[in-house]
Amino acid sequence: MATHAPHAIAIEAAKTHVSYGELHDRAYTIAGHLHALHAMPGSVVAVCLPRSADQIAALLGCWWAGAAYLPLDPAWPAARLASLIEDARCSALIAHAPLGHRIAGAVPLIQPGDAAPGVDIIPTARSADDLAYVIFTSGSTGKPKAVEVTHGNLAALIDWHRNAFSVGEATRTSHLAGLGFDAAAWEVWPTLASGGILALADDATRADATALRDWLVAKRIEVAFAPTALAEPMARSPWPADAALRVLLTGADRLTVRPLPGQPFAFINNYGPTESTVVATSGVVASKGDAIPSIGHPIAGTRIHLLDADGNEAKEGEIAIGGAQVARGYRGDPALTAARFVDHATLGRLYLTGDLGAWLADGELAFRGRADQQIKVRGHRIEPAEIVAALNRLEAVSASMVVTHKGELVAYVVPAEGQEPTARDLRADLTNVLPDYMVPGRFVRLATLPLNSSGKLDRTALPDPIAHAMAETIGGRAPSTPTEARLLEIVCSVIERTDIGVDEDFFLLGGHSLLGTQVVVRARDAFGVELSLFHLFEGRTVETLAETVERLIIEKLDSMSAEDIQRMAAL
């Protein structure tokens, strides 16, 4: 495009437009600086710039110099940025001052806008095996892993995307993924390789589902990616029938909702670890269906195998990925590379994801969660996504997520507009569709689901569920007798909450046999009766338990002699 249509728009950002010719010139300047620093194939250049045409030009300039790029988000802590630059063994850093000076260390710093170095650059020829980019992903050990992606890997993704979603010259695509998230490469490179127009969303817009929907409509975007936490409410929101959007792509977290019928776009669920160059499976999500949406079929050039514990193919098992998009490995970590990128005896080179899947009858793939993050509550194996799906189907709920806290299920809920549900309301609705052990014991109200810089749900930002628990009821029944008052005090102390009434079900509040034993022991001490755990299982509420305690007190008094009663009265 820079050659045959240099004036065609490449990038739209706020009120500015950058043509393909201008993008070429900016990238050329960056490549000149890197050439002067002896960048070459195998070199890695860190790019730490805000979402902008300069940022994309810098990435392109790295390639023209023969180097790979490492995308970094300037919003990350400086200490983390400096550590990642060092761990990736970068040969240069492209960033603005003063941040660039704080994180560069011994690495040479290039700032956008620096004068051209006055050297002629001929873009370096690249082979499919050369590195295109290095990107960090979270590690189970707590140490980030640097994934090496080749130009061949990226080219396979671009070819599939362009064909699957009919991306061509002037196709309008959004760019809103986190700058250090591999989905950004999925937004940028298929669009620019096709001669399309890339529209950059600002940070305020990209973090709010309603604002993002309105922006996509106003900008006449045709193809857009949104992380799951944003895509879910957008898919369930009304859109104008004449919206230009024809493809809404999502991924990053487990999808639990289906789109409203009649949406103007196809809603596409995608799955793929960073190690398989963004996407490995993809599928249209139908508006009808009660099951959690699948993750679709393997994309062109990608193979999916489900392996059992012995490494044999099965209908259910660990998801293993083969094909053109499987990355080179982990930079600087040959041991981990050998453990996860394996040469299977019959299936060839595979990446072992650690995710679990199952083949469905229609040939699509169901995602079953992480093999190393199975949740057990009261002896039952739980899939939190099933609870989230049930919550998100409720009229009162816009979005939700479910976690465990001290062995208890906790639901974080964003109420739908105009709705003010109580925990009791939500619990009652869930008990109609879920077994008791899958109903959260606590509910916490949120204005929005917290997202990290990659657009994924940020569980570390969730408020404490004990201190911020949603009210159980509005005007729940208060104790009416001294017995109820004392028992309610005991129960509240044991389950660490103060917002319940005497008619609340102890076990639906998160109580279980171990906590129940504490309640029984304290009640025995308080009332001097032989209360048992059976009484609590049978009665379940403070109200009923108080009736049992009072009955046991009367039975005890009836069995006592007059002398025993006089002795007790004298104490």
Side-chain angles (χ1 to χ4, degrees):
M1 288 292 288
T3 302
H4 77 269
H7 299 297
I9 298 300
I11 297 171
E12 289 183 359
K15 297 181 180 180
T16 64
H17 298 77
V18 176
S19 69
Y20 275 90
E22 292 171 316
L23 183 63
H24 168 278
D25 293 344
R26 296 187 194 186
Y28 186 92
T29 299
I30 291 292
H33 287 291
L34 293 174
H35 180 78
L37 294 172
H38 308 293
M40 62 186 69
S43 300
V44 176
V45 176
V47 178
C48 187
L49 294 170
R51 192 183 316 276
S52 60
D54 278 340
Q55 191 255 0
I56 295 170
L59 305 180
L60 192 57
C62 293
W63 286 350
W64 283 6
Y69 67 79
L70 168 67
L72 299 174
D73 192 329
W76 293 348
R80 175 179 174 82
L81 293 170
S83 175
L84 296 180
I85 292 169
E86 181 178 2
D87 289 348
R89 304 193 301 276
C90 293
S91 59
L93 166 65
I94 305 172
H96 291 301
L99 178 61
H101 292 296
R102 293 173 59 197
I103 64 177
V107 172
L109 173 65
I110 300 169
Q111 297 187 60
D114 283 351
V119 295
D120 291 329
I121 298 297
I122 300 175
T124 302
R126 298 178 299 273
S127 76
D129 293 331
D130 286 339
L131 279 184
Y133 63 81
V134 173
I135 195 162
F136 279 92
T137 185
S138 298
S140 58
T141 63
K143 179 180 173 63
K145 301 173 293 185
V147 181
E148 294 185 324
V149 175
T150 69
H151 282 284
N153 299 147
L154 184 58
L157 173 74
I158 292 171
D159 287 345
W160 163 75
H161 179 94
R162 294 173 66 183
N163 291 326
F165 307 118
S166 301
V167 176
E169 288 191 21
T171 297
R172 297 180 63 80
T173 299
S174 61
H175 173 30
L176 57 96
L179 296 173
F181 182 29
D182 62 347
W186 186 21
E187 295 172 318
V188 172
W189 301 124
T191 304
L192 297 183
S194 305
I197 299 171
L198 192 69
L200 279 52
D202 60 59
D203 287 341
T205 298
R206 60 182 287 271
D208 181 272
T210 301
L212 180 56
R213 178 198 61 191
D214 295 344
W215 180 84
L216 292 171
V217 170
K219 293 294 183 179
R220 304 293 294 169
I221 301 300
E222 300 170 65
V223 179
F225 165 82
T228 311
L230 291 174
E232 287 190 333
M234 287 201 296
R236 301 293 298 172
S237 299
W239 285 67
D242 62 349
L245 189 69
R246 53 184 175 81
V247 178
L248 177 58
L249 303 161
T250 192
D253 285 297
R254 184 79 174 272
L255 183 67
T256 61
V257 307
R258 293 177 178 273
L260 290 178
Q263 295 287 35
F265 51 81
F267 190 39
I268 314 290
N269 193 25
N270 303 273
Y271 161 82
T274 301
E275 290 86 346
S276 66
T277 318
V278 191
V279 184
T281 69
S282 182
V284 177
V285 181
S287 59
K288 294 182 179 180
D290 294 325
I292 293 174
S294 78
I295 54 175
H297 299 89
I299 69 171
T302 293
R303 308 187 316 274
I304 298 292
H305 306 279
L306 302 184
L307 305 181
D308 62 19
D310 296 320
N312 299 315
E313 286 203 85
K315 291 185 177 179
E316 296 191 22
E318 181 179 7
I319 299 173
I321 304 174
Q325 289 179 212
V326 176
R328 178 187 290 181
Y330 298 115
R331 187 170 179 80
D333 198 334
L336 185 59
T337 298
R340 305 307 300 177
F341 295 83
V342 302
D343 289 316
H344 191 278
T346 58
L347 302 175
R349 186 168 184 264
L350 300 174
Y351 170 66
L352 304 179
T353 66
D355 294 330
L356 300 176
W359 290 116
L360 300 175
D362 60 4
E364 294 192 340
L365 186 63
F367 181 77
R368 301 299 196 209
R370 289 287 299 172
D372 56 358
Q373 292 181 354
Q374 294 291 307
I375 293 177
K376 260 193 167 183
V377 176
R378 287 179 259 161
H380 298 280
R381 196 169 296 281
I382 302 286
E383 176 53 77
E386 292 185 34
I387 307 172
V388 171
L391 276 166
N392 289 350
R393 285 195 290 266
L394 300 180
E395 182 180 349
V397 175
S398 171
S400 64
M401 62 189 298
V402 173
V403 300
T404 56
H405 179 80
K406 297 181 179 179
E408 175 186 24
L409 286 171
V410 177
Y412 290 85
V413 174
V414 179
E417 187 176 356
Q419 299 285 334
E420 292 293 335
T422 65
R424 175 186 275 187
D425 296 333
L426 297 174
R427 189 176 292 110
D429 288 337
L430 289 181
T431 53
N432 291 328
V433 294
L434 297 175
D436 285 355
Y437 65 84
M438 291 182 70
V439 177
R442 292 178 201 271
F443 295 81
V444 180
R445 183 191 308 274
L446 296 176
T448 59
L449 294 180
L451 306 180
N452 61 22
S453 57
S454 295
K456 294 185 178 183
L457 294 173
D458 186 358
R459 287 164 173 79
T460 65
L462 294 171
D464 179 76
I466 295 175
H468 297 86
M470 184 185 294
E472 279 298 312
T473 61
I474 297 175
R477 192 170 87 72
S480 59
T481 69
T483 307
E484 287 183 348
R486 182 69 184 99
L487 282 172
L488 184 62
E489 180 183 332
I490 291 170
V491 169
C492 286
S493 175
V494 168
I495 64 174
E496 298 183 282
R497 59 194 312 162
T498 60
D499 60 337
I500 63 176
V502 297
D503 49 355
E504 307 288 350
D505 189 312
F506 173 78
F507 295 100
L508 290 182
L509 294 170
H512 48 75
S513 57
L514 292 177
L515 294 178
T517 299
Q518 295 183 41
V519 170
V520 168
V521 169
R522 294 189 191 187
R524 284 176 185 168
D525 292 342
F527 298 103
V529 294
E530 289 304 312
L531 197 67
S532 70
L533 191 57
F534 171 77
H535 291 125
L536 182 56
F537 276 110
E538 184 181 48
R540 304 182 75 90
T541 68
V542 166
E543 180 180 39
T544 306
L545 195 61
E547 293 172 357
T548 301
V549 168
E550 290 171 351
R551 176 174 55 77
L552 292 174
I553 290 174
I554 291 172
E555 289 175 357
K556 182 176 181 179
L557 290 173
D558 288 344
S559 68
M560 295 173 66
S561 66
E563 291 80 7
D564 290 336
I565 294 174
Q566 287 178 352
R567 280 197 299 272
M568 286 183 63
L571 294 176

